[in-house]
Amino acid sequence: MEEQGLLPSQRESTASTERSSAVFSESVRLLYNNLPLTVGANILLSALVGWIMLGTTPTWEVWAWFGGIVAVSIVRLYAWYLFSRDHSIQSLIAWRRWYMLAIFVMGLLWAYCIWLAQLSSNELNIYLITFVIAGITSGIVASTAGDKIAVLTFNTPVLGALALYFIYEGHYEYSTLLLVHFLFVANLSKNIGFMIEQQIITKHKNIELAEQAVAEKNRAEIVGANLESQNKALQEMQRALRLKHGEVEALAQENMQSREAAEQASIAKSNFLASMSHELRTPMSGVLGMLSLLMSTDLDDKQHKYTTAATSSGERLLQLLNDILDLSKIEAGKIELDIVEISLRNILIDTEILWRPIAEEKGLDLNVTISDELPDAFLGDPLRVRQVLANLVSNAIKFSSQGGVTILLSGVEAENMEWLITFQVTDTGVGIASEVQDELFHKFVQADASISRKFGGTGLGLVICKQLVELMGGEIMLDSQSGQGTTFCFSLKLHKLTDRNALCNALGVVEFGGDFDLVLSREVRILLAEDNEINRLIVLSLLEYDKLLIDEAENGIKAVEMIKKQHYDLVLMDIQMPEMDGMEATRVIRNMPTGQTDIPIIALTANAMAGDKEKYLAGGMQDYISKPIQKKAFFDALTRQCDAIKIC
């Protein structure tokens, strides 16, 4: 309620002071609200780290360090208990100082852990500690509710100690990565803290508005009670209503501006998520890659168990990041379709092979039906079609406890070689109430909270499905009732494909322009290892020369066997192939006891992110050609690796 007798500027100043006090109070409460879970996780992680270091590090020092962790944790829990009993506004500053002191000491203890690890006789310990510290220093952002001072207070001694260790060991690149990680976490905590602060301010403003509304209501009731006897009060009330009308119009204008600001914030959020998801996915891919390399070394059973668990967790996190990246790219209009030849029958067959064991494990039947009159070859994006279909089948199996899941593929011919293709997925699961069906295609929404607790999930899958289907020019629908199962179907218009040469022209994969050609000084034999028939057709069309002898292999295993039996001057190796991929095949070739271990191998891949080329070269390949293939770049790579081939 506004105080009587104060000027408008004084009232605004008072309200601003109250909001600042509310922001500070709420931020301190958030720090202590998260404290028990944070302390528990800290003790658990320190116990795990201590267990790992026992036997390779002086035992008394490990116990002393763990004892320090437990002691500080007990003090923090006791502080949380006292705070829950007395957290008046007058004492909040002291409580916040105690919190900062406690996490600073905890940071020093984790920094001490790094010193212990370097004393260990097992070098693996320092990398495990580094992995744990990366998680802790990232997790502190959430546990401190975005308080950047708290994040810096904890992270500075921990990451500083780790950076000094790497500098001492001469690993300056690791120190640089730690600096990037430190800056990223600091910036993330700043952004989260700002969003939380804005939410608290908005909440406080809403409370002020509610109090004002209650005050106005009380005043109106008093005026109404005296209306018959006080004509003058009626006139005053009419004047007040006119003033209130002006305030309502001003409020409506303010709401419109707030809505526009919210829309702009949503766009900024999508761009931020797209950028951050990509930046997070890059180091996560590195973590998974290093774990994969670690698993290929000689590990004991315990180490293999830990590494397998870390890999599984990393893959789940990477899947979530991929979902967020897909959603953000779609919202920002940055996702592009890869239109190639697509076999709908193969997609259905692969889907059945993938999901039948999972369905049978739950005691469910999986039935797949494909319309007989449906052609096989179309132009479309197979990755996105598989992604949508896999998500719908996964949900159908997840939400069904008995009965089965039916997949139906049908289509009708439209015009100009186009077909209307319909994918239908029906389950016998829990069903969806009609009043919440429209909400299912909204972000982070499930039918009810109990579903999230029982089955898990982020609520992003159906949103991505809907937007991908619409991006491909189709639509997605559902038909369901509670307890009676659910049917999802999506329809696409796809162009029927009949001519392979027309496909090459339609895709525009190879650039044939330029006044240049190949000259061969002798007969050259090349092995093309590529699982995609269209990609083989494209490469073969570039290599139609009398002295060029081309052999083909559909996967890495066949390529290795052919190299054992035949001498080749050059190998064109696709990276992603079934049974054995290009990187694995290259590793096998380089490790052959005899034969062509030094044969030039050129990578063929659609992966064109920063670092991909270096990865392939480090894996034993000599050169790199990205897809879609450009003729000049293709010929340049051939001439660099084979002296008998020249460009004229």
Side-chain angles (χ1 to χ4, degrees):
M1 181 182 298
E2 294 181 352
E3 297 183 15
Q4 300 295 326
L6 292 179
L7 296 174
S9 60
Q10 293 174 321
R11 290 195 295 270
E12 179 60 27
S13 177
T14 301
S16 177
T17 301
E18 291 176 353
R19 285 194 292 270
S20 299
S21 178
V23 169
F24 178 75
S25 175
E26 189 69 22
S27 64
V28 174
R29 289 187 176 90
L30 286 174
L31 289 176
Y32 279 90
N33 286 345
N34 294 331
L35 197 145
L37 180 60
T38 303
V39 168
N42 213 347
I43 292 177
L44 182 61
L45 282 174
S46 61
L48 179 61
V49 171
W51 183 30
I52 293 173
M53 291 195 297
L54 282 175
T56 61
T57 304
T59 302
W60 71 269
E61 293 195 14
V62 174
W63 281 110
W65 168 75
F66 180 68
I69 293 287
V70 173
V72 174
S73 299
I74 292 174
V75 172
R76 295 182 72 193
L77 287 175
Y78 183 66
W80 167 76
Y81 170 75
L82 294 178
F83 176 82
S84 64
R85 301 183 64 185
D86 175 28
H87 48 268
S88 58
I89 189 65
Q90 293 81 4
S91 61
L92 288 177
I93 295 177
W95 283 117
R96 189 173 189 275
R97 289 174 179 171
W98 273 108
Y99 186 93
M100 295 298 173
L101 177 60
I103 64 171
F104 178 70
V105 174
M106 189 64 73
L108 291 177
L109 286 170
W110 278 105
Y112 179 71
C113 177
I114 298 168
W115 184 81
L116 288 179
Q118 64 90 20
L119 292 178
S120 172
S121 60
N122 187 351
E123 185 179 349
L124 181 61
N125 284 354
I126 190 63
Y127 296 103
L128 291 175
I129 297 302
T130 302
F131 185 80
V132 171
I133 286 176
I136 293 176
T137 53
S138 299
I140 194 72
V141 176
S143 64
T144 58
D147 190 318
K148 62 181 180 181
I149 301 301
V151 172
L152 294 176
T153 301
F154 179 83
N155 283 359
T156 300
V158 179
L159 295 178
L162 189 57
L164 289 176
Y165 167 76
F166 283 132
I167 291 174
Y168 177 77
E169 293 293 328
H171 298 307
Y172 300 105
E173 67 280 10
Y174 294 167
S175 302
T176 303
L177 287 175
L178 284 176
L179 176 60
V180 174
H181 174 70
F182 178 82
L183 294 176
F184 168 74
V185 171
N187 184 64
L188 183 61
S189 66
K190 175 183 175 183
N191 292 336
I192 293 177
F194 176 77
M195 289 188 290
I196 292 176
E197 178 181 345
Q198 293 303 308
Q199 290 176 350
I200 296 173
I201 292 174
T202 302
K203 175 183 175 182
H204 194 73
K205 286 183 177 180
N206 290 338
I207 292 174
E208 291 176 357
L209 291 175
E211 290 176 350
Q212 292 176 11
V214 171
E216 291 296 332
K217 177 183 177 182
N218 293 336
R219 186 166 63 181
E221 290 176 351
I222 294 174
V223 172
N226 299 319
L227 184 61
E228 294 180 357
S229 59
Q230 298 181 9
N231 185 46
K232 185 177 180 180
L234 175 61
Q235 295 176 353
E236 181 66 20
M237 187 63 179
Q238 290 174 341
R239 187 181 68 84
L241 288 174
R242 287 194 295 270
L243 292 175
K244 181 58 65 178
H245 179 69
E247 292 176 2
V248 170
E249 290 183 345
L251 182 61
Q253 181 66 25
E254 182 180 353
N255 287 339
M256 182 178 297
Q257 294 174 352
S258 299
R259 184 177 63 182
E260 294 175 353
E263 292 174 351
Q264 294 176 355
S266 177
I267 295 174
K269 178 268 302 178
S270 296
N271 291 333
F272 173 79
L273 282 178
S275 175
M276 287 301 99
S277 295
H278 182 272
E279 294 302 320
L280 287 170
R281 189 173 65 171
T282 300
M284 180 53 62
S285 298
V287 169
L288 291 175
M290 294 305 295
L291 286 172
S292 177
L293 292 176
L294 183 61
M295 291 185 69
S296 67
T297 62
D298 293 331
L299 302 177
D300 59 34
D301 291 342
K302 184 182 296 184
Q303 291 170 336
H304 188 275
K305 178 180 179 182
Y306 293 162
T307 308
T308 301
T311 301
S312 177
S313 298
E315 288 173 347
R316 289 196 298 270
L317 178 56
L318 185 60
Q319 181 59 49
L320 176 59
L321 292 175
N322 287 337
D323 285 346
I324 296 175
L325 181 59
D326 277 347
L327 182 62
S328 301
K329 280 185 174 180
I330 293 171
E331 290 182 342
K334 296 180 179 179
I335 198 166
E336 296 181 357
L337 297 177
D338 184 17
I339 305 301
V340 296
E341 180 184 12
I342 179 174
S343 171
L344 300 182
R345 296 180 185 274
N346 287 343
I347 289 178
L348 264 291
I349 293 172
D350 292 344
T351 301
E352 180 180 9
I353 293 173
L354 175 64
W355 292 103
R356 181 173 294 282
I358 301 174
E360 291 178 347
E361 185 177 351
K362 291 189 64 175
L364 302 174
D365 295 328
L366 181 61
N367 301 310
V368 178
T369 303
I370 304 175
S371 177
D372 293 335
E373 65 273 10
L374 191 68
D376 186 54
F378 291 91
L379 281 177
D381 189 330
L383 175 63
R384 299 306 178 184
V385 173
R386 290 177 188 269
Q387 183 177 356
V388 175
L389 185 60
N391 196 290
L392 296 181
V393 175
S394 173
N395 282 348
I397 295 175
K398 178 166 64 174
F399 296 125
S400 299
S401 58
Q402 60 183 0
V405 176
T406 300
I407 308 173
L408 174 62
L409 173 62
S410 60
V412 293
E413 187 172 5
E415 57 184 9
N416 296 328
M417 301 297 288
E418 277 194 340
W419 281 65
L420 180 62
I421 308 299
T422 300
F423 297 82
Q424 180 175 303
V425 179
T426 303
D427 64 61
T428 57
V430 295
I432 304 169
S434 58
E435 59 270 17
V436 298
Q437 291 181 10
D438 291 340
E439 301 294 325
L440 284 180
F441 294 103
H442 293 171
K443 288 175 287 187
F444 309 107
V445 171
Q446 291 185 329
D448 58 60
S450 62
I451 288 180
S452 180
R453 291 193 298 269
K454 181 176 181 181
F455 297 101
T458 61
L460 290 177
L462 290 179
V463 181
I464 295 174
C465 287
K466 180 176 184 296
Q467 299 198 29
L468 284 177
V469 169
E470 292 177 350
L471 183 65
M472 291 186 286
E475 60 178 343
I476 186 169
M477 298 169 290
L478 73 95
D479 180 18
S480 179
Q481 294 182 8
S482 294
Q484 299 185 19
T486 303
T487 296
F488 280 92
C489 67
F490 66 97
S491 300
L492 302 173
K493 283 188 176 181
L494 300 180
H495 188 83
K496 178 182 176 182
L497 183 64
T498 57
D499 185 356
R500 291 296 178 86
N501 293 327
L503 170 64
C504 291
N505 295 331
L507 296 181
V509 176
V510 183
E511 179 184 309
F512 288 98
D515 296 329
F516 48 84
D517 210 336
L518 291 184
V519 175
L520 287 82
S521 59
R522 60 175 174 82
E523 190 175 78
V524 175
R525 183 176 291 273
I526 296 177
L527 174 61
L528 171 60
E530 167 66 68
D531 65 307
N532 186 281
E533 182 181 355
I534 299 304
N535 288 337
R536 292 202 303 272
L537 176 65
I538 292 169
V539 173
L540 292 174
S541 67
L542 288 172
L543 299 178
E544 293 181 348
Y545 292 89
D546 291 339
K547 294 183 179 181
L548 274 181
L549 305 178
I550 312 298
D551 293 336
E552 302 177 48
E554 293 80 13
N555 56 62
I557 294 178
K558 186 174 181 181
V560 171
E561 294 300 321
M562 294 176 69
I563 289 175
K564 291 179 180 178
K565 300 175 182 178
Q566 174 67 50
H567 171 78
Y568 290 99
D569 297 286
L570 190 65
V571 176
L572 301 176
M573 182 77 73
D574 183 32
I575 295 299
Q576 296 182 353
M577 292 186 292
E579 301 186 42
M580 179 185 289
D581 61 28
M583 292 294 290
E584 177 66 14
T586 300
R587 187 185 67 81
V588 173
I589 294 169
R590 297 306 182 210
N591 292 328
M592 285 180 178
T594 58
Q596 304 182 72
T597 58
D598 58 348
I599 181 175
I601 300 177
I602 301 177
L604 297 177
T605 178
N607 297 331
M609 293 179 58
D612 284 338
K613 180 177 181 179
E614 290 74 14
K615 178 177 65 177
Y616 303 143
L617 297 181
M621 297 181 174
Q622 277 70 39
D623 218 324
Y624 166 96
I625 300 173
S626 64
K627 302 174 184 178
I629 297 173
Q630 305 298 313
K631 184 177 181 181
K632 181 62 165 61
F634 181 77
F635 282 3
D636 284 342
L638 296 184
T639 58
R640 283 195 298 268
Q641 303 304 325
C642 186
D643 295 336
I645 303 176
K646 301 294 181 183
I647 294 182
C648 67

